[in-house]
Amino acid sequence: MAGVEDRPVLFASMKKLAQWAQSGSLWPAQFGLACCAIEMMATAASRFDLSRFGAEVMRASPRQADVMIVAGRVSQKMAPIVRELYDQMPEPKWVIAMGACASVGGVFNNYAIVQGVDRVVPVDIYVPGCPPTPEGLLEAVMQLQKKIRMGGRPMAPAMPSPEEVAQA
Amino acid sequence: MADIETTIGQVDPETGLKPMVINLGPQHPATHGVLRVRVALDGEQIRACEPIIGYLHTGIEKNCEDLTFNQAITLTDRMDYLSPITNNFGYVLGVEKLLGVEVPKRCQYIRVMFAELSRIASHLVWLGTAAMDMGAMSPFFYTMQQREQILDLIEMSAGTRMNPSYFRVGGLLNDLPPGFEEKLRAFLDGFPHWLQEYYALLDRNPIWIERLKGTAPITAEKALDYGWTGPLLRACGIPRDLRKTNPYSSYEDFDFDVITETDGDVYARYHVRMREMKESLKIVRQAIDNLPEGEWHVPGWKIYPPNKQEIGRNMEALIYHFKLFTEGIRVPAGEVYSAVEGPKGEIGYFIVSDGSGKPYRVRVRGPSFYNIAALPTLVQDKMLADVVAAIGSIDIVLGEVDR
């Protein structure tokens, strides 16, 4: 290894390098449900500018995305579809539950709304607010980047089967 | 308009082929939420189309029955979340009608001001997203910029950007904060320039005009049959505007025009909304110029709670405050329908009270629900891509359709 120090060479662990690259180019699925989707749009738009964090490439197809921002309330009718979209996303993938409804059901404690999207898909980051401010979502993206750089999701939690989801 | 189930089975005698069924949504970039549309196609031509709703059913109407009259305002915010304030408006006017009270002039003017500001905000989101559906990306970044200014104004007075619940039964959350007027005037002075920018981006763009003119047309009779209201109906040439025909909250004091176009196509709808923003601007300016001094909520403590300082000094105020926040306002038994002109059309509330502190029933007439019903007629025998243009021009909000 003699003479390497004065050449433009960088040593890194492959894992760390991959994590760094992943955290810097998150591709969220363009997936809005309710009010929070409007704030998500605002986050991506000119004033807050999600692209500063490398996460502005909203993909219309879940097959091209690696972050799912569940922006809004998930109804019983929508829950199986949310799960299907999640299953279609390639690994590695992360989920941000944006807002009170996606996190815990919010103000809608009733027959129609799933009380938190974590009953359907595993959630990495919860964002409080109804709806969260764009700053809140940006903070969540930054937290997620930190999480990815620190080794991503340690282990996927036990998840309900698609049949159980359909019954939920 | 063809029925989709029978259309699917029909074999074309020439080709011997059945129509192809395409499914759009519920996760689709151009459905403005979670709308699902099933389309039966012959080549690229639409033979039948069926919007499927309910993916955002929230049970808001049922939930309202569990909350006091003032608490239910928060749920009305979350129906048409592009313009929460007009939703509050219809609801509080209904409850006030049941109570038989009228709020002071200052409050009425502030309400008008905020309703018009949120109309502009809603039209701005529509403009940005509808243009994005048509493939024009830049208007979105322009319109969201101006929308942020309006949200800042709302945040200033209501404390939150979206879903502010600013209107309360018998008044407002609070009076206009100091510094609000200057900020509002700065917005009013700056906005006409930006409106010109939007026109410059779109209106002389031949692609935009070619794409929109003659797309998804509807006749005035058909539009009335479907129960269309708001800008969509006005784009068909019918000057129906509740602010003029049935003035509420001092709208009769303001000088503005009802915008109509005659063609009833996507281009006409675009123009109606663009010109409406200008009229709204006019109303806001008049409201801030002629803003009356005085109280901004109804007198007494039976409807509007006493302020915090009063609670510390006055035993009676404390009792009223406690009663209002535990039992809610006692609204006399009866039923009422109250409607306001929202950005999407007539947003109406049918409220039944049984004399307790909670509504017995709240039924919402969401304009988007009636507007989306006409989608199959709009796109019958048109191209598949026109579905996207039609949905964009209708300006649906699924939160309001499904409730």
Side-chain angles (χ1 to χ4, degrees), chain B residues 60 191 212 250 283 312 334 355 359 378 401:
Chain B
I60 286 178
F191 191 68
L212 264 56
S250 296
I283 299 173
L378 290 176
V401 175

Side-chain angles (χ1 to χ4, degrees), chain A residues 30-35 38-39 41-42 44-48 59-60 62 73 75 77-78 81 85 107-113 130-131 133-134, chain B residues 26-27 29 33-34 52-60 62-63 75 78-79 81-82 125 129 140-141 144-145 147-148 151-152 161-163 399:
Chain A
Q30 189 183 356
F31 177 53
L33 289 166
C35 330
I38 310 298
E39 285 298 59
M41 273 158 55
S46 30
R47 183 177 177 186
F48 295 98
R59 304 312 288 186
R73 44 196 189 246
S75 69
K77 191 173 177 177
M78 195 65 196
I81 296 154
L85 291 170
V107 291
F108 303 108
N109 185 3
N110 61 18
Y111 63 93
I113 295 299
C130 189
T133 56
Chain B
Q27 190 264 343
V34 282
I52 301 166
I53 59 171
Y55 287 97
L56 196 59
H57 177 63
T58 317
I60 286 178
K62 189 69 191 165
N63 246 22
L75 298 189
R78 286 156 180 82
M79 284 188 300
Y81 35 77
L82 290 181
V125 174
T129 52
F140 175 72
F141 295 106
M144 289 305 266
Q145 215 177 340
R147 182 173 178 273
E148 287 294 333
L151 291 187
D152 278 353
R161 284 156 51 86
M162 274 176 72
N163 300 350

